[in-house]
Amino acid sequence: FVLMRGRVSDIASSHPAERAPFVAAAGTIMDHGLHPMYARGRFGPTLVQGGAGDAEDLFAAALSVNQEYMDGSLAYAATKPWQLLVAYSANLDVIQHTLMGLMDPSSSAYTPDIASRMWPHLEKLFARSADQYLALMRRTFPDATIVVASDHGTEGTGRRFYPNAILARAGLLTVGTDGTIDLSRTKVVHLDGMGGAVAVNGVAWKGGIVREEEREAVKREATSALLDARDPDTGAHMVRDGEGLGFGSPAVDLIFDPAEDYAPSATVRGTAIAESSAPLGEGEHGPSPFRRKLHGIFFAAGPGVRAGVRLPIIHSVDVAPTVAALLGIPPPAQSVGRVLPIQ
């Protein structure tokens, strides 16, 4: 048998008395911890490593445990009165991060033989995490209107690059002797776990060094460094010059769009700015929503929804006002989307 230990996740509730019965109904979840376990061979040799599919079967079994948590959440919800139930499944994200580098022909980690052998496993994973989950949702709540939406799609990549190493080469970031980023000598940094986000280390932050009047100049330097950088092994640019650059928020000054086949990492690994992420590659969302493979999905069925309606490309911001319209209530005060013509 295989003994797996996942991350400890705290379950929070605005009704503390409900937490224990929820946990009893929902059980446990491994979440994204399954990706590194599979990639590091903890389930045995993968197909890429010459395995016969046993590792993929164990990966599917572990994801099924994940899905039991989502199924259990529905069972708990069935005991409570509600008008709007928001249910999330992490599994499709885990599957695509783990396997899309092998399945997408635009990834340098892709090979037709491995992709064809992986396909039956992928179908099984999607059936458990999507088809069977929705079927259970319909059986549990036969009179509900079900809206399915995803926030983004996924592209396969075969190479990894290090924006912080690029910024260090440009003199915008300094790595200390302990191998970590020295913020006292760093003007701009690529943030861990934030896609293509880059933030200026401004004086408004604790220990920040960039004055407000310097911010725009630092952003221009960072933009130039990222756009000019080339992979030493392939000669390719690793950041696209396009719609992904320039968006920002109070905490994010720039968002860059990785080039095809490249996944960004906030890790600082010496002076290397790029390397292969083979043999598995990676599935990446990318911050730009404009490419076809990065589009999400939208589907609705049930009372209040006209059958057979095909929608054009929509935006994620349209989901909230559309759900509000189905509920017969005004859209959220902060909503900027439109109500989709599905009623």
Side-chain angles (χ1 to χ4, degrees):
F1 65 92
V2 176
L3 179 65
M4 293 178 289
R5 183 182 67 184
R7 298 182 300 181
V8 176
S9 299
D10 187 31
I11 305 298
S13 173
S14 56
H15 301 283
E18 297 293 327
R19 184 164 61 175
F22 172 81
V23 172
T28 189
I29 186 170
M30 294 287 288
D31 200 19
H32 287 76
L34 293 173
H35 167 59
M37 292 181 71
Y38 173 80
R40 295 169 186 167
R42 300 289 175 83
F43 297 143
T46 65
L47 286 175
V48 174
Q49 297 167 324
D54 294 338
E56 286 69 29
D57 287 339
L58 279 173
F59 180 52
L63 279 168
S64 186
V65 173
N66 258 5
Q67 195 59 49
E68 288 173 11
Y69 173 88
M70 270 68 84
D71 295 350
S73 299
L74 296 182
Y76 173 81
T79 67
K80 301 294 175 183
W82 51 268
Q83 292 176 295
L84 174 65
L85 173 66
V86 180
Y88 169 71
S89 173
N91 271 0
L92 298 178
D93 194 54
V94 177
I95 294 166
Q96 293 182 87
H97 275 300
T98 305
L99 300 178
M100 194 55 68
L102 298 172
M103 304 303 297
D104 186 347
S106 64
S107 164
S108 58
Y110 168 86
T111 61
D113 176 60
I114 292 296
S116 64
R117 293 170 61 196
M118 187 67 76
W119 184 256
H121 296 281
L122 195 68
E123 283 192 312
K124 183 191 303 182
L125 291 167
F126 269 79
R128 177 68 180 97
S129 302
D131 299 4
Q132 294 173 24
Y133 185 45
L134 284 172
L136 176 63
M137 194 176 294
R138 174 53 77 210
R139 290 196 303 271
T140 307
F141 309 114
D143 299 323
T145 299
I146 297 178
V147 176
V148 180
S150 67
D151 48 355
H152 42 54
T154 306
E155 294 178 321
T157 66
R159 295 191 66 78
R160 188 179 298 121
F161 77 105
Y162 302 99
N164 284 330
I166 296 171
L167 297 172
R169 285 190 179 188
L172 297 169
L173 180 148
T174 300
V175 179
T177 56
D178 61 353
T180 64
I181 296 172
D182 181 355
L183 290 176
S184 69
R185 295 185 291 162
T186 290
K187 294 182 178 180
V188 63
V189 62
H190 167 52
L191 302 173
D192 185 29
M194 293 289 287
V198 175
V200 173
N201 188 21
V203 292
W205 290 8
K206 183 178 179 180
I209 64 172
V210 177
R211 298 191 303 272
E212 193 58 35
E213 61 269 24
E214 300 173 315
R215 181 179 294 273
E216 291 304 316
V218 170
K219 288 169 62 174
R220 286 194 296 270
E221 288 184 71
T223 300
S224 178
L226 292 167
L227 288 175
D228 291 344
R230 290 178 179 267
D231 185 333
D233 294 332
T234 68
H237 287 286
M238 296 173 286
V239 174
R240 304 172 199 253
D241 186 1
E243 294 164 290
L245 274 168
F247 295 119
S249 72
V252 176
D253 292 275
L254 292 170
I255 298 178
F256 62 81
D257 189 13
E260 185 176 271
D261 198 35
Y262 286 91
S265 170
T267 303
V268 179
R269 297 179 60 127
T271 59
I273 63 172
E275 63 182 358
S276 171
S277 55
L280 297 180
E282 302 174 48
E284 286 295 318
H285 303 307
S288 172
F290 304 106
R291 294 189 298 283
R292 181 66 184 87
K293 284 187 287 188
L294 294 179
H295 289 185
I297 60 171
F298 180 88
F299 173 85
V305 177
R306 286 186 293 131
V309 175
R310 285 188 63 87
L311 296 170
I313 293 175
I314 69 169
H315 297 89
S316 295
V317 293
D318 299 332
V319 176
T322 300
V323 170
L326 289 170
L327 288 169
I329 62 175
Q334 300 82 11
S335 175
V336 296
R338 64 191 174 101
V339 176
L340 299 173
I342 62 174
Q343 292 180 289

